[in-house]
Amino acid sequence: MFNATSMTTRIAVLMFAQYFAFGSWFVPLGVYMSKALGFDAIIGAAYGMAGIAAMVSTLFVGVVADRLFAAQRLMGVLMLSGGISLLGAANIHSSQTLFLAALLFHFIFVMASIPLGVSIAFAHLPEAEKKFPAVRAAGTVGWIVAGLTIGLWPGAAMTAGPMYLGAAVYLLGGLYAYTLPHTPPRAKGEPMTVMGLFGLDILKGNRDRLLWVFIFVLVMAGIPKKFYDSLLNNFLVEKGVALQAFGIVLESTGVQTLGQMIEALTLLILPWVIARFGIKWVMVMGMAAWVVRYMLFAFGFTGNTAILWMVLLGIFMHGLCYDFFFVSGQIWFDKRFDPAMRSRAQSLFNFLLSGTGVFIGANIAGAVYQAATISKGVHDWQFVWLVPAAFCFGVLLFLLFFFKEKPASNKPN
């Protein structure tokens, strides 16, 4: 039997491992593809593989975890498979097609494991809607530690080293998952349908207008988000953004990670902010922060030199951008469904954000990046960042006018 503190710690360790493994190689992937492999033309497609994988895998895994297998055992299989497949991708150096195929294979395992970790957390944490942000902060710390590790490792972003590091942590995390508390399928024995096979049965006949508004907003918000994920590291490298102190150089990957440090603090105050302002206005603040962030990037340089305070401010806004919109939305979304549908609900959330939104957003970001190419290694970054800024502003307006929640349901239980 685990007490509440022990349970929180054990799930936090899982979150740390998941996000350390992911963050160690995902952030510098674009730089590695551009500088080491010469795969500039498929950077957008490579990040888009995560979206395809999310659409293929997460809904299916959600229904498997809800109906067939214990979630912690399935988590172990997924993380071990993710580690092995990432090792394969790290050893492909010449074929763009094989590289994309290997990334897709890897992302299928990893993108399926993310909502499964959330469903395990919600299944075991006492007062989950209040405790989850703090546990999720452990994932942010994992991402930070990974980013600092790569940022302090000279030249690592231009090698396959981060991919090997991520693979090792995935393998260790997969073994650890088998030690987690038993999380049996709650909907075991329910009849299977075609809709249920993909987890879509939880939406069948649902007339909750607010839920459908949120689903639309979530997908639309995932599109401009992908510009940040796919292109910021390239922007920082191209504009020579690095920090140096006491003889230690923090390269672009490490600089980008500084935003996660602020995010870790933001997660801790998120329950209070939601209770104080209500979910709608928290999400409005989050989307407004995305607009400001992209404007800072768009005007945060002169020639090939970054205006450091503007770029850093945009990075430091990560907690406002991500937690106020996406994490608070994830908590709201979970409470919209019965506990027996928890894994499917979290898989659906991941499908919408990391599947549909990522696939569309990554390909749009890749197309904009190519259109903004002036010459090899030189891009019109103002144009690149103004595109998602305008898109975020449109999502913000839609959220303001159409997401109208009753005041009584604004506060968490």
Side-chain angles (χ1 to χ4, degrees):
M1 246 347 247
F2 300 105
N3 59 38
T5 302
S6 173
M7 188 66 68
T8 301
T9 302
R10 291 171 65 80
I11 296 174
V13 170
L14 174 68
M15 293 280 178
F16 179 92
Q18 281 186 294
Y19 284 88
F20 181 98
F22 202 5
S24 62
W25 70 274
F26 186 74
V27 173
L29 176 63
V31 172
Y32 171 63
M33 291 177 64
S34 177
K35 306 300 182 183
L37 302 180
F39 289 175
D40 288 79
I42 61 166
I43 290 176
Y47 280 100
M49 290 298 104
I52 296 175
M55 289 187 281
V56 170
S57 67
T58 55
L59 293 182
F60 177 76
V61 169
V63 75
V64 168
D66 271 344
R67 298 174 188 268
L68 301 177
F69 299 109
Q72 83 282 359
R73 294 171 186 166
L74 189 57
M75 174 67 78
V77 171
L78 292 171
M79 292 190 72
L80 289 172
S81 301
I84 294 170
S85 57
L86 188 57
L87 286 174
N91 284 283
I92 298 172
H93 306 112
S94 57
S95 172
Q96 295 186 13
T97 301
L98 283 178
F99 189 77
L100 288 177
L103 284 183
L104 176 60
F105 193 57
H106 171 70
F107 277 131
I108 285 174
F109 299 119
V110 173
M111 299 309 292
S113 73
I114 291 174
L116 200 57
V118 175
S119 67
I120 291 172
F122 277 112
H124 293 286
L125 290 176
E127 298 184 296
E129 69 276 7
K130 296 180 181 178
K131 295 291 182 65
F132 177 72
V135 170
R136 175 60 181 78
T140 299
V141 172
W143 193 282
I144 291 169
V145 175
L148 291 177
T149 301
I150 303 305
L152 293 171
W153 181 356
M158 300 182 190
T159 72
M163 300 180 84
Y164 286 113
L165 176 62
V169 177
Y170 276 127
L171 293 173
L172 291 174
L175 296 175
Y176 174 76
Y178 286 100
T179 73
L180 292 171
H182 185 54
T183 312
R186 294 197 178 201
K188 188 173 183 178
E190 287 187 9
M192 183 68 71
T193 64
V194 175
M195 292 282 285
L197 181 63
F198 295 98
L200 296 174
D201 54 337
I202 65 174
L203 291 178
K204 186 178 180 180
N206 193 311
R207 298 184 179 181
D208 183 352
R209 188 195 66 84
L210 198 61
L211 177 65
W212 291 104
V213 169
F214 177 80
I215 286 174
F216 177 79
V217 169
L218 184 65
V219 172
M220 291 299 103
I223 295 173
K225 171 185 175 293
K226 207 58 197 168
F227 279 74
Y228 183 87
D229 298 338
S230 303
L231 301 178
L232 180 63
N233 207 237
N234 297 61
F235 170 68
L236 298 179
V237 169
E238 203 164 298
K239 297 305 178 186
V241 177
L243 298 177
Q244 185 170 353
F246 307 107
I248 299 174
V249 177
L250 188 64
E251 296 183 355
S252 60
T253 302
V255 173
Q256 187 171 340
T257 301
L258 297 176
Q260 272 75 25
M261 295 184 179
I262 306 298
E263 184 196 0
L265 299 176
T266 308
L267 279 167
L268 297 179
I269 66 168
L270 185 60
W272 178 86
V273 176
I274 293 173
R276 176 67 178 82
F277 295 101
I279 195 72
K280 172 179 177 175
W281 293 107
V282 173
M283 290 196 295
V284 165
M285 287 186 280
M287 191 49 58
W290 277 103
V291 176
V292 174
R293 159 184 267 185
Y294 283 135
M295 294 299 288
L296 286 168
F297 292 157
F299 296 98
F301 60 91
T302 54
N304 292 323
T305 304
I307 302 174
L308 195 59
W309 73 265
M310 293 180 71
V311 174
L312 289 180
L313 180 57
I315 292 173
F316 289 158
M317 293 178 70
H318 193 68
L320 290 174
C321 294
Y322 195 87
D323 299 337
F324 273 39
F325 188 86
F326 296 110
V327 176
S328 61
Q330 191 170 28
I331 295 170
W332 180 89
F333 196 77
D334 181 80
K335 294 174 69 177
R336 223 70 185 177
F337 295 95
D338 184 88
M341 300 177 177
R342 178 159 282 143
S343 290
R344 279 172 286 169
Q346 288 303 324
S347 290
L348 177 59
F349 183 93
N350 203 54
F351 170 85
L352 297 168
L353 175 59
S354 299
T356 308
V358 160
F359 177 71
I360 298 171
N363 283 281
I364 291 176
V368 170
Y369 182 72
Q370 287 295 307
T373 301
I374 299 170
S375 61
K376 185 176 177 58
V378 180
H379 297 84
D380 181 357
W381 285 104
Q382 187 171 93
F383 170 70
V384 169
W385 296 126
L386 286 177
V387 171
F391 205 103
C392 286
F393 186 70
V395 175
L396 174 62
L397 292 178
F398 187 90
L399 186 64
L400 278 168
F401 287 107
F402 293 100
F403 191 87
K404 298 181 179 179
E405 190 170 29
K406 295 179 180 178
S409 60
N410 281 342
K411 295 182 181 181
N413 296 329

